[in-house]
Amino acid sequence: MFTCKEYKKAATLEEAWQLNQKRSNLLIGGMLWVKMGHRSVGTVIDLSDLGLDTIEETEEEFRIGCMVTLRQLEKHEGLNAYTNGAICESVRHIVGVQFRNTATVGGSIFGRFGFSDVLTMMLALDSYVELYKGGVIPMSEFVSRKRDRDILVRIIIRKRPGSFAYQSMRNTKTDFPVLAVAAGRIDGRLFISIGARPMRAVQLVTDAKNAADAGLPDGVLETISEGGKITPEQAKALGEYAAGAVAVGTNLRASAEYRQELIRVLVKRACLAL
Ligand SMILES: Cc1cc2nc3c(=O)[nH]c(=O)nc-3n(C[C@H](O)[C@H](O)[C@H](O)COP(=O)(O)OP(=O)(O)OC[C@H]3O[C@@H](n4cnc5c(N)ncnc54)[C@H](O)[C@@H]3O)c2cc1C
């Protein structure tokens, strides 16, 4: 059971940050993950009065407050137009509508869960995390950082000419993914992220520098950089490359061998969808 002695709705980010420095206190988003554990905390710190529950869209970027729910991501027209529906696809399998109406973007990203669809998706976009004390850092850097007691204020997605796709495999509907893949073609570079390996999602970048090292066949890079259609042969080669480049593991949902096979298939499908 999860219990707390006090509940505090923070009036400012500074107040929330000060309270969160005490190890016995706990910052919450939707509280859906933390309530699953057995834990007794001093004060739970709620950010829901700070106006961080909106998605702002400008010509250059999307600014997604940490208290935005997964359902807001799923339904946001601008985000889904920009990502070719990939954002919606990345969250729509998570449990159910009521759940997604409560689970927050802040809790999903700050948790850096190995199974995270949301994190996998963000790693294929030009995305950043804005931390209250730590400033703005690329998502790819944040994902491998050690957990600290900072506050994730918002996610920033910079708009770049590109296309995006998302694929996941689940043993049964609404379960955690067995493997998740997101692909983004941004400014002539290909970003592939692989999540639910079952370790934390990783990002692979294919550009002029590493295409030869990756053993990709001639023409793949040109196709990517010139915005041409990726052929089935090229998509297959990209799947092979990703399967060889990313470490996978075994857990109760699937073996490492099965996950490696899934990488081949899902990366191929995502690249064809691009
Ligand atoms: C049964 C179940 C099934 C799930 N299935 C999936 C799935 O298939 N795919 C998937 O991607 N996810 C899945 N999730 C995870 C879910 O989508 C959310 O990511 C998760 O619940 C965390 O979001 P939350 O808002 O509930 O955060 P909380 O549980 O409130 O917080 C999670 C952690 O983040 C910290 N935190 C929260 N907000 C902030 C912030 N702004 N700054 C700093 N730290 C913060 C908290 O202190 C806590 O440590 C599942 C969760 C559950 C419980």
Side-chain angles (χ1 to χ4, degrees):
M1 194 167 53
F2 173 85
T3 59
C4 69
K5 291 200 184 85
E6 282 181 51
Y7 164 85
K8 177 78 188 164
K9 236 182 196 186
T12 61
L13 276 170
E14 181 60 27
E15 184 190 16
W17 185 84
Q18 291 291 350
L19 285 167
N20 198 37
Q21 299 320 296
K22 198 167 170 192
R23 288 176 68 90
S24 57
N25 293 348
L26 182 73
L27 196 92
I28 52 163
M31 226 183 98
L32 291 167
W33 185 255
V34 296
K35 78 174 169 60
M36 303 288 286
H38 298 280
R39 196 166 164 190
S40 224
V41 304
T43 303
V44 292
I45 311 152
D46 181 357
L47 305 179
S48 62
D49 261 0
L50 302 181
L52 293 167
D53 57 352
T54 59
I55 302 175
E56 297 162 53
E57 181 176 3
T58 67
E59 290 211 341
E60 291 83 37
E61 61 192 21
F62 294 96
R63 296 167 66 79
I64 305 170
C66 62
M67 294 301 284
V68 163
T69 66
L70 302 188
R71 183 71 171 165
Q72 281 173 272
L73 288 187
E74 183 182 347
K75 302 298 282 181
H76 194 271
E77 280 184 18
L79 267 175
N80 281 298
Y82 173 66
T83 62
N84 320 103
I87 289 261
C88 173
E89 181 57 29
S90 71
V91 296
R92 75 181 177 93
H93 303 279
I94 301 175
V95 188
V97 172
Q98 287 165 306
F99 183 96
R100 299 196 294 279
N101 268 327
T102 312
T104 63
V105 171
S108 298
I109 297 294
F110 200 85
R112 283 162 279 202
F113 306 113
F115 54 73
S116 181
D117 289 287
V118 190
L119 190 57
T120 307
M121 180 69 242
M122 292 295 164
L123 283 172
L125 296 159
D126 188 17
S127 66
Y128 302 80
V129 165
E130 182 185 325
L131 299 164
Y132 180 56
K133 293 288 177 186
V136 176
I137 57 167
M139 187 69 70
S140 52
E141 189 187 321
F142 178 74
V143 70
S144 50
R145 271 205 184 174
K146 260 182 85 179
R147 206 187 157 108
D148 60 17
R149 304 195 73 85
D150 208 344
I151 300 177
L152 191 159
V153 181
R154 52 179 68 82
I155 305 294
I156 298 165
I157 299 173
R158 303 233 162 103
K159 287 182 181 172
R160 307 276 216 98
S163 55
F164 305 92
Y166 192 84
Q167 295 278 327
S168 67
M169 160 69 194
R170 286 168 153 80
N171 285 336
T172 184
K173 209 173 166 182
T174 76
D175 192 10
F176 291 109
V178 171
L179 195 89
V181 168
R185 179 146 76 166
I186 308 171
D187 279 350
R189 295 200 296 168
L190 180 66
F191 291 77
I192 298 172
S193 66
I194 316 276
R197 307 178 286 136
M199 301 81 91
R200 269 182 206 174
V202 283
Q203 182 192 62
L204 294 173
V205 184
T206 305
D207 58 15
K209 281 191 229 115
N210 69 2
D213 299 343
L216 290 169
D218 287 350
V220 175
L221 194 66
E222 289 72 15
T223 308
I224 293 165
S225 60
E226 289 159 17
K229 196 170 169 181
I230 296 174
T231 65
E233 294 70 34
Q234 290 172 339
K236 190 172 173 211
L238 286 161
E240 287 294 335
Y241 155 60
V246 173
V248 284
T250 297
N251 67 358
L252 58 84
R253 283 188 175 72
S255 65
E257 291 76 13
Y258 182 58
R259 284 196 163 91
Q260 212 155 37
E261 200 51 45
L262 282 176
I263 294 181
R264 286 191 182 91
V265 176
L266 298 189
V267 168
K268 179 179 160 191
R269 285 183 192 165
C271 289
L272 287 174
L274 288 178

